[in-house]
Amino acid sequence: MNFVEELTWRGMVHQMMPGTEELLSGGMQTAYLGIDPTADSLHIGHLCGVMMLRHFQRCGHKPLALVGGATGMIGDPSGKSQERNLLNEETLRHNVECIKKQLGRFLDFDSDAPNAAEMVNNYDWMKEFTFLDFAREIGKCITVNYMMAKDSVKRRLNGEAQDGMSFTEFTYQLLQGYDFLHLYETKNCKLQMGGSDQWGNITTGTELIRRKLGNENEAYALTCPLITKADGKKFGKTEKGNIWLDRNRTSPYAFYQFWLNVADEDAERYIKIFTSLDKETIDGLTEEHRQDPGRRILQRRLAEEVTIMVHGREDLDLAIEASNILFGKATKESLARLDEQTLLDVFSGVPQFEVDKTILEGEGVKAIDLLAGHTSCFPSKGEMRKMTQGGGVSVNKEKLSDPNQPVTTADLLDGKYILAQQGKKKYFLLIAK
């Protein structure tokens, strides 16, 4: 496959240096993309860049994932209006290890193929580099005028940030430029990729290579657009914050639901960017979706593909099963299979009541007392009796035939939850403490 053509039809090319496509048509090439290890997990804001590396490898080229153990100690000013907190070495090392495991789901690091992916950490080559050596060897190659002309610098200096820009952040583009120079010399890496906000930093690297090694040494840049939603809002953010790839930060159910609930217009773009499905398949799904948008064919396939890629088939099946609990004919067994975080995610919007766990001990408490006395799931005991007779009351997805049926600690889900249901769609979550 032709890498540039592949990215172009997917809508993943924002800017590209002249000569990039010609470089890639001349056999296997090496490219890198930098990932900032500010957390111990990637979030879906990183996914476009990761998918660029994935497509690069699928097209027969060699991807390098650079985790910024050194630059992460400084903080990239691009797109930021404030200087961020700096991380210590121990935290960064932990974050780097976690990120590598996640990248292994997208890239082939382990095969003996010539284009097997590699992970590199710029701390490895920066830790012994003294300030004096860096100033003499690298600082003299790039003028302050050149650095100040970059948009990310100009915005900060022209009043976007109250405190201006520290020297630490000002030097960031030189450090990132040196990464490119180092990988150019040691890995024959001639292309750097990234988000469109990285264009200034990347081109500083191409300029540094040219000035340090001579004009005949050419390096290239390719960026993807920053992904937004159809309404212009930032992609990947919810009221609860980022959608993470780590299941302990975002459950596979919540992850699946995010993709399932994107707008039609976004689904048509996202399925090209965030899956490896071919053009023919995507065009077919898009046409089918447009004929009957209510079936949400695009969203379902998008959610399935991305969830399998990030979490695996088993977690996808559990996420779909969890989704059906709210709207389908789930059983007590399927409810019991949910882990605590998924249970809380599924029922995050329903009324919750705290109950004293001791009332459930021994012979327990009558359901009518629990749901219409200790809690106000029902406005009165008479109302609950009436609904129970009509088959409209369930506890943990099992219909209640007798309002006096005892509820005990044996009924607790994850040792602390009881799900009460009124009719088909009205739920209450009881939390025993």
Side-chain angles (χ1 to χ4, degrees):
M1 291 187 296
N2 179 301
F3 177 64
V4 174
E5 285 179 6
E6 183 74 8
L7 286 199
T8 301
W9 78 258
R10 291 181 182 275
M12 295 173 71
V13 176
H14 181 75
Q15 285 175 287
M16 180 172 63
M17 271 192 174
T20 302
E21 195 161 7
E22 290 76 7
L23 169 78
L24 297 175
S25 65
M28 187 185 84
Q29 295 294 334
T30 301
Y32 91 92
L33 180 135
I35 295 168
D36 205 351
T38 47
D40 61 2
S41 172
L42 301 173
H43 54 73
I44 60 174
H46 292 107
L47 269 187
C48 187
V50 173
M51 291 304 292
M52 288 173 81
L53 290 177
R54 181 178 172 91
H55 292 310
F56 193 69
Q57 188 171 41
R58 290 173 66 236
C59 290
H61 301 293
K62 184 179 181 68
L64 303 178
L66 182 146
V67 225
T71 41
M73 290 181 168
I74 290 176
D76 182 3
S78 303
K80 313 283 193 312
S81 59
Q82 291 183 334
E83 187 157 351
R84 65 167 173 234
N85 295 329
L86 309 185
L87 303 178
N88 61 41
E89 187 180 337
E90 184 182 356
T91 303
L92 281 164
R93 195 180 300 117
H94 166 75
N95 292 354
V96 167
E97 283 305 309
C98 294
I99 288 169
K100 182 171 185 181
K101 287 179 185 174
Q102 290 181 337
L103 288 174
R105 298 200 68 98
F106 298 86
L107 303 171
D108 172 17
F109 287 99
D110 301 322
S111 77
D112 54 5
N115 71 326
E118 284 185 44
M119 186 158 175
V120 291
N121 184 345
N122 58 16
Y123 184 72
D124 292 337
W125 56 83
M126 290 303 303
K127 61 186 175 185
E128 305 297 336
F129 213 158
T130 69
F131 177 76
L132 288 176
D133 286 340
F134 189 81
R136 187 176 64 182
E137 297 295 323
I138 305 304
K140 69 175 184 179
C141 297
I142 300 290
T143 66
V144 169
N145 289 10
Y146 178 88
M147 294 170 71
M148 290 191 58
K150 299 295 183 182
D151 285 341
S152 60
V153 174
K154 283 197 291 191
R155 281 197 300 270
R156 291 288 290 274
L157 294 179
N158 290 340
E160 187 178 289
Q162 291 180 347
D163 301 324
M165 188 181 204
S166 70
F167 175 76
T168 304
E169 283 197 314
F170 184 63
T171 58
Y172 187 92
Q173 61 176 293
L174 268 188
L175 290 168
Q176 186 169 327
Y178 180 71
D179 288 342
F180 201 173
L181 171 65
H182 177 84
L183 293 174
Y184 184 94
E185 292 187 295
T186 60
K187 302 281 187 184
N188 196 30
C189 176
K190 296 181 179 177
L191 172 65
Q192 185 183 167
M193 302 187 292
S196 57
D197 61 333
Q198 291 297 308
W199 183 257
N201 291 335
I202 296 173
T203 51
T204 297
T206 63
E207 185 69 10
L208 178 61
I209 289 167
R210 189 177 63 79
R211 294 188 185 184
K212 181 76 175 167
L213 303 179
N215 289 337
E216 68 280 5
N217 291 272
E218 294 188 335
Y220 300 87
L222 189 156
T223 61
C224 62
L226 292 181
I227 310 301
T228 56
K229 296 193 287 189
D231 59 9
K233 292 180 181 175
K234 191 169 182 179
F235 164 76
K237 289 273 189 181
T238 67
E239 290 178 5
K240 294 181 180 177
N242 286 320
I243 303 294
W244 298 92
L245 273 55
D246 183 340
R247 61 184 305 119
N248 296 316
R249 287 172 173 258
T250 301
S251 71
Y253 164 79
F255 186 85
Y256 173 78
Q257 285 292 321
F258 171 83
W259 299 100
L260 194 63
N261 290 314
V262 300
D264 289 350
E265 187 181 334
D266 289 332
E268 288 194 20
R269 288 188 302 130
Y270 295 170
I271 200 164
K272 295 175 185 175
I273 296 169
F274 300 113
T275 78
S276 298
L277 295 173
D278 60 48
K279 189 174 189 303
E280 186 181 355
T281 302
I282 289 176
D283 287 346
L285 287 166
T286 303
E287 183 58 36
E288 196 179 350
H289 177 88
R290 287 176 179 173
Q291 288 174 8
D292 186 2
R295 290 171 60 202
R296 301 182 73 77
I297 288 168
L298 271 183
Q299 285 92 336
R300 290 183 187 282
R301 187 63 182 273
L302 169 67
E304 287 174 10
E305 292 289 329
V306 185
T307 305
I308 287 174
M309 191 163 52
V310 172
H311 293 293
R313 167 67 67 177
E314 188 179 339
D315 279 334
L316 169 67
D317 292 340
L318 288 172
I320 292 173
E321 187 175 30
S323 303
N324 290 336
I325 286 172
L326 271 178
F327 309 108
K329 295 181 179 178
T331 63
K332 183 178 181 180
E333 288 69 33
S334 59
L335 194 62
R337 277 198 291 272
L338 301 183
D339 60 77
E340 182 177 12
Q341 187 55 57
T342 304
L343 180 76
L344 292 174
D345 284 341
V346 171
F347 298 104
S348 61
V350 310
Q352 297 184 359
F353 298 98
E354 285 188 11
V355 296
D356 186 345
K357 195 171 184 177
T358 58
I359 66 172
L360 303 170
E361 292 171 354
E363 294 181 0
V365 61
K366 292 177 182 177
I368 194 166
D369 292 333
L370 179 65
L371 302 181
H374 295 283
T375 67
S376 53
C377 298
F378 291 86
S380 69
K381 292 185 178 181
E383 181 78 18
M384 182 177 159
R385 282 195 190 93
K386 189 176 173 183
M387 282 204 77
T388 304
Q389 287 168 2
V393 181
S394 297
V395 172
N396 292 345
K397 284 292 179 180
E398 288 191 330
K399 279 205 186 305
L400 202 64
S401 56
D402 178 4
N404 294 315
Q405 179 180 316
V407 181
T408 71
T409 52
D411 294 302
L412 290 173
L413 305 165
D414 279 309
K416 63 196 276 193
Y417 302 102
I418 290 171
L419 182 70
Q421 190 174 348
Q422 189 185 122
K424 286 186 176 180
K425 295 182 179 177
K426 200 166 184 181
Y427 291 96
F428 305 92
L429 191 63
L430 280 56
I431 305 169
K433 291 189 174 181

